[in-house]
Amino acid sequence: MYEGAVQDLIDELGRLPGVGPKSAQRIAFHLLATDDQEVKRLVDALTEVKLRVQFCALCGNVAEAERCRVCLDPRRSDDVICVVEEPKDVVAIERTREFRGRYHVLGGAINPIENVGPDDLRISELLARLADGTVQEVILATDPNVEGEATATYLSRLMAHMGITVSRLASGLPVGGDLEYADEVTLGRAFEGRRVIGNDK
């Protein structure tokens, strides 16, 4: 325990996701030892992001205007929507350069332990986007964990009678990974998503 402002800073940093008590303490003392101008740049960046950044009114991605850059891009296909949990997932998919459709960010995943239910996510907004018949396929790209699977299952049931193709991202073994270290779910999904290779005859 430290006195006053130092402990307050450690406590606030410790509330950030992925930052434990030791990391919070390390960051706090790094900031104390850092030049005033660098700390000011950090403060300015935090203030600016809270002032300027919002969530896209259509898809829920981060944006500095009413619509995000993906929603404003006329080159994107309107007949396929990729559903993700968080804006960071949009960035991950965009890095692949494989997807040229639109996105829908749910704002999380169904998680009863954390009291997050379907009504807490942007599911009604997704259904509204599907109502006019433009979208032909919805790709469910939620995380391959218990919460992500539950969310994907819930969404697929909602869309079962809408005449829309609903697909799920394949998942399995990472390149360079060893089978002995793979968990049962990952290995099971790898078997489900297996493909035929080397059959040119």
Side-chain angles (χ1 to χ4, degrees):
M1 295 291 290
Y2 298 91
E3 293 184 9
V6 174
Q7 188 60 48
D8 290 344
L9 177 59
I10 292 171
D11 290 344
E12 290 304 317
L13 291 168
R15 289 189 177 93
L16 296 173
V19 179
K22 288 185 178 180
S23 295
Q25 181 178 307
R26 202 163 40 247
I27 295 167
F29 280 99
H30 170 77
L31 292 171
L32 281 172
T34 299
D35 178 80
D36 288 352
Q37 285 301 313
E38 286 190 38
V39 174
K40 184 178 184 304
R41 282 199 296 272
L42 175 60
V43 171
D44 290 346
L46 290 170
T47 304
E48 192 74 4
V49 79
K50 289 302 291 180
L51 286 173
R52 292 177 53 191
V53 178
Q54 57 190 325
F55 294 103
C56 176
L58 182 61
C59 77
N61 191 16
V62 289
E64 291 193 15
E66 187 180 351
R67 298 284 176 93
C68 71
R69 62 177 180 79
V70 176
C71 286
L72 291 172
D73 187 347
R75 298 168 299 177
R76 311 290 297 218
S77 173
D78 291 322
D79 63 354
V80 58
I81 289 179
C82 182
V83 177
V84 297
E85 293 180 22
E86 304 288 350
K88 62 182 174 59
D89 302 323
V90 172
V91 174
I93 293 171
E94 284 295 283
R95 278 200 303 260
T96 70
R97 300 179 186 273
E98 292 290 330
F99 181 67
R100 298 302 302 163
R102 306 289 182 180
Y103 291 96
H104 189 84
V105 181
L106 294 171
I110 296 171
N111 187 347
I113 294 171
E114 298 289 331
N115 292 317
V116 178
D119 293 340
D120 299 307
L121 305 176
R122 298 184 70 255
I123 293 174
S124 59
E125 290 89 340
L126 172 62
L127 297 178
R129 292 180 70 184
L130 304 177
D132 68 0
T134 302
V135 177
Q136 300 300 307
E137 181 182 5
V138 172
I139 302 170
L140 300 176
T142 52
D143 289 342
N145 54 26
V146 174
E147 295 79 15
E149 292 293 337
T151 306
T153 300
Y154 179 83
L155 291 174
S156 65
R157 287 178 181 162
L158 279 182
M159 295 181 281
H161 305 293
M162 296 180 72
I164 296 171
T165 300
V166 180
S167 59
R168 179 89 168 104
L169 281 190
S171 63
L173 300 171
V175 174
D178 294 326
L179 283 180
E180 63 180 304
Y181 300 119
D183 62 272
E184 293 86 353
V185 174
T186 301
L187 201 51
R189 290 289 291 273
F191 269 96
E192 287 174 17
R194 68 189 184 276
R195 329 180 255 125
V196 175
I197 58 172
N199 187 10
D200 297 328
K201 294 181 181 180

PDB file of all heavy atoms in Angstrom, residues 73-110:
ATOM      1  N   ASP A  73     -17.668   2.996 -46.902  1.00  0.00           N
ATOM      2  CA  ASP A  73     -16.935   2.541 -48.086  1.00  0.00           C
ATOM      3  C   ASP A  73     -17.913   1.945 -49.110  1.00  0.00           C
ATOM      4  O   ASP A  73     -18.501   0.883 -48.878  1.00  0.00           O
ATOM      5  CB  ASP A  73     -15.909   1.488 -47.661  1.00  0.00           C
ATOM      6  CG  ASP A  73     -14.979   1.089 -48.801  1.00  0.00           C
ATOM      7  OD1 ASP A  73     -15.276   1.431 -49.974  1.00  0.00           O
ATOM      8  OD2 ASP A  73     -13.958   0.431 -48.525  1.00  0.00           O
ATOM      9  N   PRO A  74     -18.096   2.600 -50.261  1.00  0.00           N
ATOM     10  CA  PRO A  74     -19.055   2.114 -51.263  1.00  0.00           C
ATOM     11  C   PRO A  74     -18.602   0.832 -51.964  1.00  0.00           C
ATOM     12  O   PRO A  74     -19.389   0.174 -52.650  1.00  0.00           O
ATOM     13  CB  PRO A  74     -19.148   3.277 -52.260  1.00  0.00           C
ATOM     14  CG  PRO A  74     -17.836   3.980 -52.135  1.00  0.00           C
ATOM     15  CD  PRO A  74     -17.424   3.830 -50.702  1.00  0.00           C
ATOM     16  N   ARG A  75     -17.333   0.478 -51.811  1.00  0.00           N
ATOM     17  CA  ARG A  75     -16.807  -0.720 -52.470  1.00  0.00           C
ATOM     18  C   ARG A  75     -17.143  -2.004 -51.717  1.00  0.00           C
ATOM     19  O   ARG A  75     -16.968  -3.098 -52.248  1.00  0.00           O
ATOM     20  CB  ARG A  75     -15.286  -0.613 -52.633  1.00  0.00           C
ATOM     21  CG  ARG A  75     -14.845   0.569 -53.512  1.00  0.00           C
ATOM     22  CD  ARG A  75     -13.367   0.801 -53.392  1.00  0.00           C
ATOM     23  NE  ARG A  75     -13.025   1.136 -52.006  1.00  0.00           N
ATOM     24  CZ  ARG A  75     -11.790   1.345 -51.559  1.00  0.00           C
ATOM     25  NH1 ARG A  75     -10.771   1.250 -52.391  1.00  0.00           N
ATOM     26  NH2 ARG A  75     -11.574   1.644 -50.301  1.00  0.00           N
ATOM     27  N   ARG A  76     -17.628  -1.876 -50.485  1.00  0.00           N
ATOM     28  CA  ARG A  76     -17.947  -3.064 -49.689  1.00  0.00           C
ATOM     29  C   ARG A  76     -19.269  -3.675 -50.150  1.00  0.00           C
ATOM     30  O   ARG A  76     -20.189  -2.977 -50.580  1.00  0.00           O
ATOM     31  CB  ARG A  76     -18.048  -2.715 -48.204  1.00  0.00           C
ATOM     32  CG  ARG A  76     -16.909  -1.915 -47.620  1.00  0.00           C
ATOM     33  CD  ARG A  76     -15.608  -2.648 -47.487  1.00  0.00           C
ATOM     34  NE  ARG A  76     -15.620  -3.780 -46.602  1.00  0.00           N
ATOM     35  CZ  ARG A  76     -14.598  -4.089 -45.791  1.00  0.00           C
ATOM     36  NH1 ARG A  76     -13.521  -3.315 -45.726  1.00  0.00           N
ATOM     37  NH2 ARG A  76     -14.643  -5.163 -45.052  1.00  0.00           N
ATOM     38  N   SER A  77     -19.360  -4.999 -50.032  1.00  0.00           N
ATOM     39  CA  SER A  77     -20.574  -5.715 -50.418  1.00  0.00           C
ATOM     40  C   SER A  77     -21.631  -5.599 -49.324  1.00  0.00           C
ATOM     41  O   SER A  77     -21.345  -5.788 -48.143  1.00  0.00           O
ATOM     42  CB  SER A  77     -20.231  -7.188 -50.655  1.00  0.00           C
ATOM     43  OG  SER A  77     -21.396  -7.924 -50.881  1.00  0.00           O
ATOM     44  N   ASP A  78     -22.863  -5.290 -49.723  1.00  0.00           N
ATOM     45  CA  ASP A  78     -23.966  -5.131 -48.770  1.00  0.00           C
ATOM     46  C   ASP A  78     -24.704  -6.434 -48.476  1.00  0.00           C
ATOM     47  O   ASP A  78     -25.559  -6.467 -47.595  1.00  0.00           O
ATOM     48  CB  ASP A  78     -24.980  -4.111 -49.304  1.00  0.00           C
ATOM     49  CG  ASP A  78     -24.420  -2.701 -49.323  1.00  0.00           C
ATOM     50  OD1 ASP A  78     -23.689  -2.336 -48.392  1.00  0.00           O
ATOM     51  OD2 ASP A  78     -24.729  -1.968 -50.282  1.00  0.00           O
ATOM     52  N   ASP A  79     -24.386  -7.509 -49.217  1.00  0.00           N
ATOM     53  CA  ASP A  79     -25.179  -8.728 -49.058  1.00  0.00           C
ATOM     54  C   ASP A  79     -24.595  -9.719 -48.055  1.00  0.00           C
ATOM     55  O   ASP A  79     -25.142 -10.800 -47.856  1.00  0.00           O
ATOM     56  CB  ASP A  79     -25.402  -9.409 -50.416  1.00  0.00           C
ATOM     57  CG  ASP A  79     -24.108  -9.869 -51.060  1.00  0.00           C
ATOM     58  OD1 ASP A  79     -23.020  -9.563 -50.524  1.00  0.00           O
ATOM     59  OD2 ASP A  79     -24.191 -10.540 -52.106  1.00  0.00           O
ATOM     60  N   VAL A  80     -23.489  -9.368 -47.409  1.00  0.00           N
ATOM     61  CA  VAL A  80     -22.911 -10.236 -46.386  1.00  0.00           C
ATOM     62  C   VAL A  80     -22.473  -9.401 -45.187  1.00  0.00           C
ATOM     63  O   VAL A  80     -21.859  -8.349 -45.340  1.00  0.00           O
ATOM     64  CB  VAL A  80     -21.744 -11.090 -46.954  1.00  0.00           C
ATOM     65  CG1 VAL A  80     -20.652 -10.215 -47.530  1.00  0.00           C
ATOM     66  CG2 VAL A  80     -21.175 -12.009 -45.885  1.00  0.00           C
ATOM     67  N   ILE A  81     -22.827  -9.862 -44.004  1.00  0.00           N
ATOM     68  CA  ILE A  81     -22.464  -9.188 -42.757  1.00  0.00           C
ATOM     69  C   ILE A  81     -21.683 -10.165 -41.884  1.00  0.00           C
ATOM     70  O   ILE A  81     -22.094 -11.306 -41.691  1.00  0.00           O
ATOM     71  CB  ILE A  81     -23.711  -8.698 -41.987  1.00  0.00           C
ATOM     72  CG1 ILE A  81     -24.351  -7.518 -42.717  1.00  0.00           C
ATOM     73  CG2 ILE A  81     -23.353  -8.294 -40.552  1.00  0.00           C
ATOM     74  CD1 ILE A  81     -25.606  -6.982 -42.032  1.00  0.00           C
ATOM     75  N   CYS A  82     -20.570  -9.697 -41.365  1.00  0.00           N
ATOM     76  CA  CYS A  82     -19.765 -10.476 -40.432  1.00  0.00           C
ATOM     77  C   CYS A  82     -20.044  -9.956 -39.021  1.00  0.00           C
ATOM     78  O   CYS A  82     -19.829  -8.776 -38.733  1.00  0.00           O
ATOM     79  CB  CYS A  82     -18.275 -10.331 -40.770  1.00  0.00           C
ATOM     80  SG  CYS A  82     -17.199 -11.298 -39.695  1.00  0.00           S
ATOM     81  N   VAL A  83     -20.524 -10.830 -38.160  1.00  0.00           N
ATOM     82  CA  VAL A  83     -20.890 -10.449 -36.789  1.00  0.00           C
ATOM     83  C   VAL A  83     -19.728 -10.759 -35.853  1.00  0.00           C
ATOM     84  O   VAL A  83     -19.244 -11.900 -35.796  1.00  0.00           O
ATOM     85  CB  VAL A  83     -22.153 -11.205 -36.326  1.00  0.00           C
ATOM     86  CG1 VAL A  83     -22.488 -10.854 -34.882  1.00  0.00           C
ATOM     87  CG2 VAL A  83     -23.326 -10.896 -37.247  1.00  0.00           C
ATOM     88  N   VAL A  84     -19.271  -9.735 -35.143  1.00  0.00           N
ATOM     89  CA  VAL A  84     -18.164  -9.891 -34.199  1.00  0.00           C
ATOM     90  C   VAL A  84     -18.582  -9.373 -32.824  1.00  0.00           C
ATOM     91  O   VAL A  84     -19.597  -8.699 -32.690  1.00  0.00           O
ATOM     92  CB  VAL A  84     -16.898  -9.146 -34.686  1.00  0.00           C
ATOM     93  CG1 VAL A  84     -16.395  -9.719 -35.997  1.00  0.00           C
ATOM     94  CG2 VAL A  84     -17.158  -7.648 -34.828  1.00  0.00           C
ATOM     95  N   GLU A  85     -17.767  -9.680 -31.829  1.00  0.00           N
ATOM     96  CA  GLU A  85     -18.092  -9.253 -30.466  1.00  0.00           C
ATOM     97  C   GLU A  85     -17.668  -7.809 -30.196  1.00  0.00           C
ATOM     98  O   GLU A  85     -18.434  -7.040 -29.616  1.00  0.00           O
ATOM     99  CB  GLU A  85     -17.424 -10.183 -29.452  1.00  0.00           C
ATOM    100  CG  GLU A  85     -17.987 -11.593 -29.461  1.00  0.00           C
ATOM    101  CD  GLU A  85     -17.305 -12.502 -28.456  1.00  0.00           C
ATOM    102  OE1 GLU A  85     -16.704 -11.986 -27.480  1.00  0.00           O
ATOM    103  OE2 GLU A  85     -17.359 -13.732 -28.635  1.00  0.00           O
ATOM    104  N   GLU A  86     -16.447  -7.449 -30.586  1.00  0.00           N
ATOM    105  CA  GLU A  86     -15.873  -6.149 -30.225  1.00  0.00           C
ATOM    106  C   GLU A  86     -15.234  -5.476 -31.438  1.00  0.00           C
ATOM    107  O   GLU A  86     -14.859  -6.154 -32.403  1.00  0.00           O
ATOM    108  CB  GLU A  86     -14.797  -6.327 -29.135  1.00  0.00           C
ATOM    109  CG  GLU A  86     -15.272  -7.031 -27.871  1.00  0.00           C
ATOM    110  CD  GLU A  86     -16.186  -6.181 -27.011  1.00  0.00           C
ATOM    111  OE1 GLU A  86     -16.314  -4.969 -27.288  1.00  0.00           O
ATOM    112  OE2 GLU A  86     -16.781  -6.716 -26.063  1.00  0.00           O
ATOM    113  N   PRO A  87     -15.051  -4.145 -31.390  1.00  0.00           N
ATOM    114  CA  PRO A  87     -14.380  -3.450 -32.496  1.00  0.00           C
ATOM    115  C   PRO A  87     -12.984  -3.985 -32.808  1.00  0.00           C
ATOM    116  O   PRO A  87     -12.567  -3.992 -33.963  1.00  0.00           O
ATOM    117  CB  PRO A  87     -14.315  -2.000 -31.997  1.00  0.00           C
ATOM    118  CG  PRO A  87     -15.494  -1.862 -31.094  1.00  0.00           C
ATOM    119  CD  PRO A  87     -15.594  -3.193 -30.399  1.00  0.00           C
ATOM    120  N   LYS A  88     -12.277  -4.474 -31.807  1.00  0.00           N
ATOM    121  CA  LYS A  88     -10.930  -5.027 -32.046  1.00  0.00           C
ATOM    122  C   LYS A  88     -10.983  -6.237 -32.981  1.00  0.00           C
ATOM    123  O   LYS A  88     -10.014  -6.524 -33.699  1.00  0.00           O
ATOM    124  CB  LYS A  88     -10.237  -5.386 -30.733  1.00  0.00           C
ATOM    125  CG  LYS A  88     -10.948  -6.451 -29.918  1.00  0.00           C
ATOM    126  CD  LYS A  88     -10.237  -6.726 -28.603  1.00  0.00           C
ATOM    127  CE  LYS A  88     -11.023  -7.677 -27.723  1.00  0.00           C
ATOM    128  NZ  LYS A  88     -11.305  -8.967 -28.298  1.00  0.00           N
ATOM    129  N   ASP A  89     -12.118  -6.933 -32.993  1.00  0.00           N
ATOM    130  CA  ASP A  89     -12.269  -8.082 -33.880  1.00  0.00           C
ATOM    131  C   ASP A  89     -12.382  -7.648 -35.342  1.00  0.00           C
ATOM    132  O   ASP A  89     -11.953  -8.360 -36.248  1.00  0.00           O
ATOM    133  CB  ASP A  89     -13.502  -8.901 -33.483  1.00  0.00           C
ATOM    134  CG  ASP A  89     -13.430  -9.390 -32.035  1.00  0.00           C
ATOM    135  OD1 ASP A  89     -12.316  -9.729 -31.586  1.00  0.00           O
ATOM    136  OD2 ASP A  89     -14.473  -9.413 -31.361  1.00  0.00           O
ATOM    137  N   VAL A  90     -12.961  -6.466 -35.565  1.00  0.00           N
ATOM    138  CA  VAL A  90     -13.033  -5.911 -36.925  1.00  0.00           C
ATOM    139  C   VAL A  90     -11.618  -5.694 -37.451  1.00  0.00           C
ATOM    140  O   VAL A  90     -11.298  -6.056 -38.588  1.00  0.00           O
ATOM    141  CB  VAL A  90     -13.817  -4.577 -36.950  1.00  0.00           C
ATOM    142  CG1 VAL A  90     -13.722  -3.915 -38.321  1.00  0.00           C
ATOM    143  CG2 VAL A  90     -15.275  -4.807 -36.566  1.00  0.00           C
ATOM    144  N   VAL A  91     -10.760  -5.121 -36.613  1.00  0.00           N
ATOM    145  CA  VAL A  91      -9.367  -4.860 -37.000  1.00  0.00           C
ATOM    146  C   VAL A  91      -8.661  -6.167 -37.341  1.00  0.00           C
ATOM    147  O   VAL A  91      -7.953  -6.261 -38.347  1.00  0.00           O
ATOM    148  CB  VAL A  91      -8.614  -4.118 -35.865  1.00  0.00           C
ATOM    149  CG1 VAL A  91      -7.131  -3.964 -36.199  1.00  0.00           C
ATOM    150  CG2 VAL A  91      -9.249  -2.756 -35.612  1.00  0.00           C
ATOM    151  N   ALA A  92      -8.869  -7.202 -36.529  1.00  0.00           N
ATOM    152  CA  ALA A  92      -8.230  -8.499 -36.770  1.00  0.00           C
ATOM    153  C   ALA A  92      -8.649  -9.083 -38.114  1.00  0.00           C
ATOM    154  O   ALA A  92      -7.814  -9.577 -38.881  1.00  0.00           O
ATOM    155  CB  ALA A  92      -8.571  -9.469 -35.636  1.00  0.00           C
ATOM    156  N   ILE A  93      -9.941  -9.012 -38.433  1.00  0.00           N
ATOM    157  CA  ILE A  93     -10.434  -9.563 -39.705  1.00  0.00           C
ATOM    158  C   ILE A  93      -9.958  -8.716 -40.882  1.00  0.00           C
ATOM    159  O   ILE A  93      -9.591  -9.238 -41.931  1.00  0.00           O
ATOM    160  CB  ILE A  93     -11.965  -9.694 -39.680  1.00  0.00           C
ATOM    161  CG1 ILE A  93     -12.377 -10.763 -38.659  1.00  0.00           C
ATOM    162  CG2 ILE A  93     -12.506 -10.047 -41.072  1.00  0.00           C
ATOM    163  CD1 ILE A  93     -13.851 -10.840 -38.390  1.00  0.00           C
ATOM    164  N   GLU A  94      -9.954  -7.404 -40.714  1.00  0.00           N
ATOM    165  CA  GLU A  94      -9.493  -6.519 -41.789  1.00  0.00           C
ATOM    166  C   GLU A  94      -8.033  -6.777 -42.150  1.00  0.00           C
ATOM    167  O   GLU A  94      -7.645  -6.637 -43.304  1.00  0.00           O
ATOM    168  CB  GLU A  94      -9.682  -5.051 -41.389  1.00  0.00           C
ATOM    169  CG  GLU A  94     -11.115  -4.576 -41.466  1.00  0.00           C
ATOM    170  CD  GLU A  94     -11.641  -4.586 -42.891  1.00  0.00           C
ATOM    171  OE1 GLU A  94     -11.299  -3.670 -43.664  1.00  0.00           O
ATOM    172  OE2 GLU A  94     -12.407  -5.517 -43.236  1.00  0.00           O
ATOM    173  N   ARG A  95      -7.238  -7.171 -41.161  1.00  0.00           N
ATOM    174  CA  ARG A  95      -5.815  -7.452 -41.429  1.00  0.00           C
ATOM    175  C   ARG A  95      -5.636  -8.620 -42.381  1.00  0.00           C
ATOM    176  O   ARG A  95      -4.631  -8.716 -43.077  1.00  0.00           O
ATOM    177  CB  ARG A  95      -5.071  -7.733 -40.120  1.00  0.00           C
ATOM    178  CG  ARG A  95      -4.643  -6.488 -39.375  1.00  0.00           C
ATOM    179  CD  ARG A  95      -3.522  -6.786 -38.391  1.00  0.00           C
ATOM    180  NE  ARG A  95      -3.890  -7.816 -37.444  1.00  0.00           N
ATOM    181  CZ  ARG A  95      -4.297  -7.594 -36.202  1.00  0.00           C
ATOM    182  NH1 ARG A  95      -4.393  -6.354 -35.757  1.00  0.00           N
ATOM    183  NH2 ARG A  95      -4.606  -8.582 -35.404  1.00  0.00           N
ATOM    184  N   THR A  96      -6.605  -9.535 -42.440  1.00  0.00           N
ATOM    185  CA  THR A  96      -6.493 -10.693 -43.334  1.00  0.00           C
ATOM    186  C   THR A  96      -6.703 -10.303 -44.791  1.00  0.00           C
ATOM    187  O   THR A  96      -6.306 -11.040 -45.689  1.00  0.00           O
ATOM    188  CB  THR A  96      -7.528 -11.784 -42.975  1.00  0.00           C
ATOM    189  OG1 THR A  96      -8.845 -11.319 -43.305  1.00  0.00           O
ATOM    190  CG2 THR A  96      -7.443 -12.154 -41.503  1.00  0.00           C
ATOM    191  N   ARG A  97      -7.394  -9.194 -45.040  1.00  0.00           N
ATOM    192  CA  ARG A  97      -7.742  -8.741 -46.398  1.00  0.00           C
ATOM    193  C   ARG A  97      -8.585  -9.771 -47.162  1.00  0.00           C
ATOM    194  O   ARG A  97      -8.600  -9.808 -48.390  1.00  0.00           O
ATOM    195  CB  ARG A  97      -6.496  -8.382 -47.212  1.00  0.00           C
ATOM    196  CG  ARG A  97      -5.674  -7.273 -46.596  1.00  0.00           C
ATOM    197  CD  ARG A  97      -4.443  -6.992 -47.433  1.00  0.00           C
ATOM    198  NE  ARG A  97      -3.589  -6.033 -46.782  1.00  0.00           N
ATOM    199  CZ  ARG A  97      -3.698  -4.706 -46.883  1.00  0.00           C
ATOM    200  NH1 ARG A  97      -4.671  -4.201 -47.609  1.00  0.00           N
ATOM    201  NH2 ARG A  97      -2.854  -3.901 -46.270  1.00  0.00           N
ATOM    202  N   GLU A  98      -9.296 -10.624 -46.431  1.00  0.00           N
ATOM    203  CA  GLU A  98     -10.103 -11.679 -47.044  1.00  0.00           C
ATOM    204  C   GLU A  98     -11.580 -11.330 -47.113  1.00  0.00           C
ATOM    205  O   GLU A  98     -12.329 -11.937 -47.866  1.00  0.00           O
ATOM    206  CB  GLU A  98      -9.945 -12.988 -46.242  1.00  0.00           C
ATOM    207  CG  GLU A  98      -8.565 -13.614 -46.316  1.00  0.00           C
ATOM    208  CD  GLU A  98      -8.261 -14.194 -47.678  1.00  0.00           C
ATOM    209  OE1 GLU A  98      -9.197 -14.630 -48.365  1.00  0.00           O
ATOM    210  OE2 GLU A  98      -7.079 -14.185 -48.071  1.00  0.00           O
ATOM    211  N   PHE A  99     -12.012 -10.365 -46.310  1.00  0.00           N
ATOM    212  CA  PHE A  99     -13.445 -10.081 -46.204  1.00  0.00           C
ATOM    213  C   PHE A  99     -13.748  -8.698 -46.765  1.00  0.00           C
ATOM    214  O   PHE A  99     -13.122  -7.717 -46.378  1.00  0.00           O
ATOM    215  CB  PHE A  99     -13.875 -10.164 -44.729  1.00  0.00           C
ATOM    216  CG  PHE A  99     -15.346  -9.900 -44.518  1.00  0.00           C
ATOM    217  CD1 PHE A  99     -16.296 -10.779 -45.001  1.00  0.00           C
ATOM    218  CD2 PHE A  99     -15.771  -8.764 -43.851  1.00  0.00           C
ATOM    219  CE1 PHE A  99     -17.657 -10.539 -44.813  1.00  0.00           C
ATOM    220  CE2 PHE A  99     -17.124  -8.511 -43.651  1.00  0.00           C
ATOM    221  CZ  PHE A  99     -18.055  -9.403 -44.143  1.00  0.00           C
ATOM    222  N   ARG A 100     -14.740  -8.624 -47.672  1.00  0.00           N
ATOM    223  CA  ARG A 100     -15.080  -7.344 -48.297  1.00  0.00           C
ATOM    224  C   ARG A 100     -16.541  -6.964 -48.076  1.00  0.00           C
ATOM    225  O   ARG A 100     -17.108  -6.177 -48.825  1.00  0.00           O
ATOM    226  CB  ARG A 100     -14.790  -7.403 -49.801  1.00  0.00           C
ATOM    227  CG  ARG A 100     -13.339  -7.632 -50.163  1.00  0.00           C
ATOM    228  CD  ARG A 100     -12.425  -6.571 -49.599  1.00  0.00           C
ATOM    229  NE  ARG A 100     -12.783  -5.239 -50.047  1.00  0.00           N
ATOM    230  CZ  ARG A 100     -12.372  -4.111 -49.472  1.00  0.00           C
ATOM    231  NH1 ARG A 100     -11.611  -4.145 -48.406  1.00  0.00           N
ATOM    232  NH2 ARG A 100     -12.744  -2.946 -49.955  1.00  0.00           N
ATOM    233  N   GLY A 101     -17.160  -7.535 -47.053  1.00  0.00           N
ATOM    234  CA  GLY A 101     -18.550  -7.200 -46.755  1.00  0.00           C
ATOM    235  C   GLY A 101     -18.651  -6.159 -45.654  1.00  0.00           C
ATOM    236  O   GLY A 101     -17.752  -5.351 -45.448  1.00  0.00           O
ATOM    237  N   ARG A 102     -19.753  -6.194 -44.945  1.00  0.00           N
ATOM    238  CA  ARG A 102     -20.010  -5.256 -43.845  1.00  0.00           C
ATOM    239  C   ARG A 102     -19.856  -5.970 -42.507  1.00  0.00           C
ATOM    240  O   ARG A 102     -19.788  -7.198 -42.456  1.00  0.00           O
ATOM    241  CB  ARG A 102     -21.429  -4.683 -43.961  1.00  0.00           C
ATOM    242  CG  ARG A 102     -21.754  -4.054 -45.300  1.00  0.00           C
ATOM    243  CD  ARG A 102     -21.028  -2.752 -45.490  1.00  0.00           C
ATOM    244  NE  ARG A 102     -21.388  -2.124 -46.768  1.00  0.00           N
ATOM    245  CZ  ARG A 102     -20.877  -0.970 -47.175  1.00  0.00           C
ATOM    246  NH1 ARG A 102     -20.012  -0.318 -46.431  1.00  0.00           N
ATOM    247  NH2 ARG A 102     -21.231  -0.461 -48.341  1.00  0.00           N
ATOM    248  N   TYR A 103     -19.843  -5.197 -41.441  1.00  0.00           N
ATOM    249  CA  TYR A 103     -19.699  -5.759 -40.097  1.00  0.00           C
ATOM    250  C   TYR A 103     -20.891  -5.394 -39.223  1.00  0.00           C
ATOM    251  O   TYR A 103     -21.607  -4.436 -39.476  1.00  0.00           O
ATOM    252  CB  TYR A 103     -18.432  -5.222 -39.412  1.00  0.00           C
ATOM    253  CG  TYR A 103     -17.153  -5.723 -40.024  1.00  0.00           C
ATOM    254  CD1 TYR A 103     -16.476  -4.963 -40.976  1.00  0.00           C
ATOM    255  CD2 TYR A 103     -16.610  -6.949 -39.644  1.00  0.00           C
ATOM    256  CE1 TYR A 103     -15.292  -5.414 -41.538  1.00  0.00           C
ATOM    257  CE2 TYR A 103     -15.432  -7.412 -40.207  1.00  0.00           C
ATOM    258  CZ  TYR A 103     -14.774  -6.639 -41.145  1.00  0.00           C
ATOM    259  OH  TYR A 103     -13.610  -7.098 -41.696  1.00  0.00           O
ATOM    260  N   HIS A 104     -21.032  -6.177 -38.149  1.00  0.00           N
ATOM    261  CA  HIS A 104     -21.952  -5.809 -37.074  1.00  0.00           C
ATOM    262  C   HIS A 104     -21.273  -6.175 -35.760  1.00  0.00           C
ATOM    263  O   HIS A 104     -20.932  -7.339 -35.537  1.00  0.00           O
ATOM    264  CB  HIS A 104     -23.297  -6.525 -37.198  1.00  0.00           C
ATOM    265  CG  HIS A 104     -24.303  -5.991 -36.238  1.00  0.00           C
ATOM    266  ND1 HIS A 104     -25.067  -4.869 -36.511  1.00  0.00           N
ATOM    267  CD2 HIS A 104     -24.649  -6.383 -34.974  1.00  0.00           C
ATOM    268  CE1 HIS A 104     -25.845  -4.613 -35.476  1.00  0.00           C
ATOM    269  NE2 HIS A 104     -25.602  -5.513 -34.523  1.00  0.00           N
ATOM    270  N   VAL A 105     -21.058  -5.173 -34.907  1.00  0.00           N
ATOM    271  CA  VAL A 105     -20.382  -5.371 -33.623  1.00  0.00           C
ATOM    272  C   VAL A 105     -21.441  -5.494 -32.531  1.00  0.00           C
ATOM    273  O   VAL A 105     -22.230  -4.574 -32.311  1.00  0.00           O
ATOM    274  CB  VAL A 105     -19.417  -4.203 -33.321  1.00  0.00           C
ATOM    275  CG1 VAL A 105     -18.707  -4.436 -31.994  1.00  0.00           C
ATOM    276  CG2 VAL A 105     -18.414  -4.019 -34.460  1.00  0.00           C
ATOM    277  N   LEU A 106     -21.436  -6.627 -31.848  1.00  0.00           N
ATOM    278  CA  LEU A 106     -22.444  -6.891 -30.821  1.00  0.00           C
ATOM    279  C   LEU A 106     -22.212  -6.117 -29.525  1.00  0.00           C
ATOM    280  O   LEU A 106     -23.143  -5.823 -28.786  1.00  0.00           O
ATOM    281  CB  LEU A 106     -22.479  -8.388 -30.488  1.00  0.00           C
ATOM    282  CG  LEU A 106     -22.949  -9.330 -31.596  1.00  0.00           C
ATOM    283  CD1 LEU A 106     -22.711 -10.781 -31.190  1.00  0.00           C
ATOM    284  CD2 LEU A 106     -24.409  -9.083 -31.930  1.00  0.00           C
ATOM    285  N   GLY A 107     -20.952  -5.820 -29.245  1.00  0.00           N
ATOM    286  CA  GLY A 107     -20.629  -5.149 -27.982  1.00  0.00           C
ATOM    287  C   GLY A 107     -20.415  -6.130 -26.847  1.00  0.00           C
ATOM    288  O   GLY A 107     -20.555  -5.782 -25.675  1.00  0.00           O
ATOM    289  N   GLY A 108     -20.073  -7.372 -27.185  1.00  0.00           N
ATOM    290  CA  GLY A 108     -19.811  -8.387 -26.175  1.00  0.00           C
ATOM    291  C   GLY A 108     -20.390  -9.727 -26.589  1.00  0.00           C
ATOM    292  O   GLY A 108     -20.721  -9.942 -27.752  1.00  0.00           O
ATOM    293  N   ALA A 109     -20.521 -10.627 -25.608  1.00  0.00           N
ATOM    294  CA  ALA A 109     -21.075 -11.955 -25.849  1.00  0.00           C
ATOM    295  C   ALA A 109     -21.987 -12.324 -24.684  1.00  0.00           C
ATOM    296  O   ALA A 109     -21.860 -11.772 -23.586  1.00  0.00           O
ATOM    297  CB  ALA A 109     -19.951 -12.981 -25.990  1.00  0.00           C
ATOM    298  N   ILE A 110     -22.902 -13.234 -24.929  1.00  0.00           N
ATOM    299  CA  ILE A 110     -23.799 -13.695 -23.870  1.00  0.00           C
ATOM    300  C   ILE A 110     -22.979 -14.367 -22.775  1.00  0.00           C
ATOM    301  O   ILE A 110     -22.194 -15.279 -23.042  1.00  0.00           O
ATOM    302  CB  ILE A 110     -24.854 -14.677 -24.433  1.00  0.00           C
ATOM    303  CG1 ILE A 110     -25.765 -13.955 -25.435  1.00  0.00           C
ATOM    304  CG2 ILE A 110     -25.669 -15.309 -23.319  1.00  0.00           C
ATOM    305  CD1 ILE A 110     -26.686 -14.871 -26.213  1.00  0.00           C
TER     306      ILE A 110
END
